[in-house]
Amino acid sequence: MKVLIYFVLCSSLLAATPSTAAERIVTLNVANATCELCGPIVRRALTRISGVLGVQVMDVAGKTVATVHYDDDRTDIPLLISATTNAGYPSTEAQ
């Protein structure tokens, strides 16, 4: 009987625990993206990462900015930065 009560208590606690994964949005400042082909290359590099849900690359005041919508359970910001850097466009998280 004690085992059954323990099992029910533990399973109810586990079922009530919320998931910590969430969809997030990060803005990356992208360096060296100065031509018309740079934006699509950056977008393609980011969308190839598992967990990336959407990417928008735009020119803001002469600087290239990538806004990335991603699942933080499947990817993270350092991996996104690595993807743009490996494509030839180093990036940093916008503050």
Side-chain angles (χ1 to χ4, degrees):
M1 184 68 177
K2 287 183 182 180
V3 173
L4 180 60
I5 292 172
Y6 178 75
F7 178 77
V8 170
L9 180 63
C10 287
S11 57
S12 67
L13 287 174
L14 291 175
T17 304
S19 175
T20 58
E23 293 180 5
R24 307 250 187 240
I25 297 175
V26 65
T27 302
L28 301 175
N29 293 323
V30 183
N32 303 336
T34 57
C35 68
E36 289 184 28
L37 296 176
C38 296
I41 292 170
V42 170
R43 183 180 302 109
R44 185 176 46 229
L46 290 167
T47 56
R48 288 182 175 172
I49 302 296
S50 177
V52 171
L53 306 172
V55 178
Q56 182 178 12
V57 179
M58 64 186 101
D59 186 46
V60 177
K63 296 185 178 189
T64 303
V65 175
T67 303
V68 185
H69 182 210
Y70 68 99
D71 179 352
D72 73 351
D73 191 39
R74 296 173 59 201
T75 192
D76 58 14
I77 295 171
L79 188 59
L80 300 174
I81 290 172
S82 177
T84 63
T85 301
N86 290 341
Y89 304 96
S91 63
T92 57
E93 183 177 3
Q95 299 300 323

